[in-house]
Amino acid sequence: MHLYCHDHPHTLTLTAEVVAASPGRVLLSETPFYPGGGGQLPDKGALRSNTGGDIGVTGFEVIDGQLWHLLADPVELSGVVEAAVNPNFRQMMREMHTATHILNALVFQSFDGALVTGVQMNDDGTARMDFDLPEADNDRLRALEAPINDVIAQNIRVNCTYIPFEEARAVPGLIRSRSVAPPPTEDGRVRIVDITGLDRQACGGTHLDNTGDTRAVKLLKIDNKGRHNRRVRLGLVGLGPLA
């Protein structure tokens, strides 16, 4: 499924027609919302209609390749609505997702191509990443905090492109997770997020335009999770537990 937010990442409010609806859910002709995936939470926001006022969007469901919006109230919308993404939440998710890519890149480079085994971003400005690192020294992982913030300070450009999925599978390091990969578009391509000169990997989430657009990052904790996994917890300075 090709998402509008991939092509128009800065459009957070969009007028759209109701294509189909039932109580508490609606399908729109177009939507600026990111539905979540790859460890990133879905956007928050609301739909605004002339008849129903503001109705919160609580989640999303993909049915037959179409993105349904789940609503906070059991209303049945029709006509034209305005879809509005919460800008503060989208910005936080963009910062967290780009920060996790920076951490991922540094771990990949420093630990012989170690793969991600899990990732989860939270609504308090923190995230966790699990890596397949059976012999890792946790102090070496903690030492990555300074290089992460150095990449942020360099204000490196972040670009997004599309390449054929089979080509992505053939390039070592483009698909960085051990267990999952972003789903291809209808024409068989996969989205590549490129932090210029540092990292290039398949990803379907929302990202910053430049690494300098995020707050500083702190590594909060490193846990051993089983024989192979190292869980790295990180947070944006000034948010949640780091406020």
Side-chain angles (χ1 to χ4, degrees), residues 28 62 84 183:
L28 301 179
V62 177

Side-chain angles (χ1 to χ4, degrees), residues 8-237:
H8 308 277
H10 301 292
T11 300
L12 301 183
T13 302
L14 185 68
T15 299
E17 295 183 3
V18 173
V19 175
S22 61
R25 60 175 54 215
V26 64
L27 177 65
L28 301 179
S29 59
E30 198 65 89
T31 179
F33 283 91
Y34 176 68
Q40 181 178 335
L41 296 175
D43 279 333
K44 298 181 179 181
L47 302 183
R48 298 165 181 157
S49 69
N50 292 331
T51 57
D54 285 13
I55 303 165
V57 175
T58 61
F60 304 89
E61 185 176 2
V62 177
I63 301 176
D64 296 330
Q66 296 181 309
L67 184 64
W68 285 79
H69 301 61
L70 308 181
L71 307 178
D73 299 317
V75 296
E76 187 166 343
L77 298 176
S78 62
V80 175
V81 299
E82 184 179 70
V85 174
N86 182 308
N88 294 330
F89 190 80
R90 166 70 73 84
Q91 176 63 18
M92 182 177 69
M93 285 293 106
R94 293 174 75 203
E95 292 181 45
M96 283 304 318
H97 209 146
T98 299
T100 60
H101 273 228
I102 297 171
L103 171 61
N104 189 346
L106 295 175
V107 169
F108 190 78
Q109 294 170 8
S110 301
F111 293 89
D112 300 320
L115 296 179
V116 174
T117 57
V119 60
Q120 181 61 57
M121 291 161 239
N122 305 312
D123 60 6
D124 62 353
T126 66
R128 67 160 175 83
M129 296 194 77
D130 294 348
F131 296 94
D132 185 3
L133 288 169
E135 305 297 333
D137 181 341
N138 286 353
D139 287 336
R140 284 183 63 199
L141 284 167
R142 293 186 188 96
L144 294 178
E145 181 178 303
I148 291 170
N149 286 300
D150 181 60
V151 171
I152 291 171
Q154 291 179 51
N155 198 30
I156 300 172
R157 182 69 182 171
V158 181
N159 296 300
C160 298
T161 58
Y162 289 86
I163 65 172
F165 184 72
E166 291 305 317
E167 179 181 331
R169 291 183 60 183
V171 178
L174 270 192
I175 297 178
R176 197 71 56 81
S177 174
R178 179 172 291 282
S179 57
V180 297
T185 60
E186 291 86 347
D187 58 356
R189 297 184 302 159
V190 66
R191 183 169 175 261
I192 304 298
V193 175
D194 185 355
I195 304 176
T196 307
L198 175 74
D199 185 58
R200 187 168 177 257
Q201 63 174 291
C203 178
T206 62
H207 283 271
L208 301 170
D209 296 326
N210 304 281
T211 61
D213 295 338
T214 183
R215 285 157 275 210
V217 169
K218 185 172 182 60
L219 297 188
L220 303 173
K221 189 178 182 182
I222 298 172
D223 295 315
N224 296 346
K225 291 292 182 180
R227 178 177 295 180
H228 285 268
N229 281 347
R230 293 293 187 275
R231 176 166 293 176
V232 182
R233 300 181 186 273
L234 62 156
L236 298 173
V237 174

